[in-house]
Amino acid sequence: EGGGGGGGGGLGSDGDGGMIPVDRLPVALERLNLGAVVASREDGAARLRARLELPGTGIVVWDDFWRVASRLLAGETLDAVLSPRGAGAGGGVAGAGPPQGA
């Protein structure tokens, strides 16, 4: 009878709403082998958290996380993904509009 399948199993996702507690963000990154990419910049984790966390909530929306993570997995740098210019290039993050393409 499955509940949700993909997304955030074991990452703190609620299975339906697709949210990750911000304190579980490092776990999500490690599961995708992206921990070293983020850690390659001294301020990488803080910048990523600041970009993804819904202000004052302590949560990250899975879709926003995946937009960033998928670009990092494709080989983009953390700086490129987190730059204001880079946010729009790959579909954006947190309110920048729907992903483009398919």
Side-chain angles (χ1 to χ4, degrees), residues 26-70:
V27 174
L29 292 166
E30 285 299 326
R31 288 200 175 199
L32 295 172
N33 296 317
L34 290 173
V37 172
V38 173
S40 68
R41 291 214 26 131
E42 185 176 324
D43 62 347
R47 289 178 62 209
L48 185 61
R49 185 172 44 253
R51 171 62 66 88
L52 294 176
E53 180 181 1
L54 291 175
T57 65
I59 61 170
V60 171
V61 175
W62 177 262
D63 287 344
D64 293 340
F65 169 77
W66 184 247
R67 282 186 196 106
V68 169
S70 63

